[in-house]
Amino acid sequence: MPDKSTSSKPDTVAAPETLAKSSKIYPIVKYGDPVLEKPGLPVKKFDGDIEQLVDDMFASMYAAQGVGLAAPQIGLSLRLTVIDVTGGKNPEAKIVLANPEIIHAEGEVREEEGCLSIPGFRGYVIRPQFVTVKAQNAKGESYEIRGENLLARAFCHEIDHLNGVLFLQHLSMLKRDLIKRKIKKLRKLGEW
Ligand SMILES: [Zn+2]
């Protein structure tokens, strides 16, 4: 009896090289993993690996329906984050921040905030209304970008991640402890 696996006839047609590039969807690291609470290392080498990682981070963020994702949230302690406050609707809205620094902040907005690493919990956090960030793109080129409201909030939230800071740290102690207790319970139940 012939072995099917040795058959030379392919039963699927390979996609052309240009369409073959696929993105990896990373699982999102949840609160409790120490990688979320330590500062990331600077991105030093800008090569194809970083461009692939950035692609994968966007794909992972869209899959999780987030508007921002920082490298520590996929278990990589790196100063790299991707943001898209349009949720993938506008390709021009895709922002890559490598080694970002806030160089100007202005105003205050108090708004509810959540985090892909702390699913199911939200809290009010005061953030600047306008934020200007200096960063490098996926090719290592330096640039500046200014954000307002939700985008300014995303800049602050994601840059916090690169410093090992979670939005919980901006909540009142009462609210923070409440959330931590609930997460502890979920963990005991094996639901976290
Ligand atoms: Zn977050």
Side-chain angles (χ1 to χ4, degrees), residues 42-150:
V43 179
K44 285 190 178 148
K45 221 171 123 193
F46 291 87
D47 54 13
D49 288 349
I50 283 290
E51 293 193 47
Q52 181 64 51
L53 177 60
V54 162
D55 270 5
D56 294 345
M57 285 174 69
F58 274 114
S60 305
M61 180 184 79
Y62 294 135
Q65 294 183 305
V67 296
L69 183 71
Q73 292 183 278
I74 55 164
L76 297 173
S77 200
L78 268 183
R79 302 188 72 78
L80 177 67
T81 177
V82 297
I83 293 169
D84 179 356
V85 294
T86 73
K89 288 192 189 96
N90 175 7
E92 311 238 307
K94 289 168 85 172
I95 297 166
V96 176
L97 303 177
N99 306 321
E101 247 182 280
I102 293 174
I103 54 172
H104 183 76
E106 207 182 310
E108 273 188 5
V109 181
R110 185 175 179 270
E111 194 48 80
E112 231 186 3
E113 205 168 300
C115 179
L116 291 177
S117 294
I118 313 173
F121 296 97
R122 299 180 69 80
Y124 281 90
V125 179
I126 296 168
R127 300 283 193 186
Q129 187 183 0
F130 302 96
V131 170
T132 306
V133 174
K134 187 174 181 241
Q136 285 163 281
N137 63 19
K139 291 184 162 61
E141 297 155 349
S142 291
Y143 73 106
E144 282 181 21
I145 183 165
R146 179 177 152 100
E148 185 180 347
N149 294 322
L150 178 61

